[in-house]
Amino acid sequence: MKVRRTEEDGAFNGLLLTARESAGILDVNAQVVGHLVSAGYLTAVYRGQHWFVTLASVLAYRRRRGHSARSLQVAPRPRNAPRSS
């Protein structure tokens, strides 16, 4: 797992993961990680040309939901629903 550091304080606040790495920790796929970020359950930061999820938010979410994030019911968006930007 590639871990990147930021300048934030705290033990895990400065560690960043890709969506795929976060998905592996949460036992979901990367698309669900995107939904969790959009819903505000995970904190993501934009570095360079990529989004990264903070390890602290992944671990906190995992602790709240148990070892699997599959307990979250992420409803798929209807195909004809307008997208928010």
Side-chain angles (χ1 to χ4, degrees):
M1 175 184 329
K2 296 178 185 174
V3 179
R4 295 141 199 95
R5 287 197 175 270
T6 64
E7 300 78 31
E8 299 175 26
D9 295 332
F12 295 118
N13 286 345
L15 301 178
L16 302 176
L17 305 170
T18 65
R20 184 176 294 183
E21 292 165 341
S22 301
I25 292 171
L26 296 174
D27 191 28
V28 296
N29 63 34
Q31 185 177 9
V32 172
V33 171
H35 288 296
L36 292 171
V37 169
S38 296
Y41 290 106
L42 298 176
T43 303
V45 295
Y46 191 71
R47 295 284 190 255
Q49 297 178 351
H50 303 283
W51 282 97
F52 295 97
V53 181
T54 63
L55 179 59
S57 69
V58 171
L59 295 177
Y61 183 80
R62 183 177 171 187
R63 188 173 48 253
R64 283 192 309 266
R65 293 291 181 175
H67 291 292
S68 175
R70 292 180 188 199
S71 61
L72 176 70
Q73 298 297 322
V74 178
R77 188 180 348 198
R79 293 182 187 261
N80 57 356
R83 292 183 169 219
S84 61
S85 33

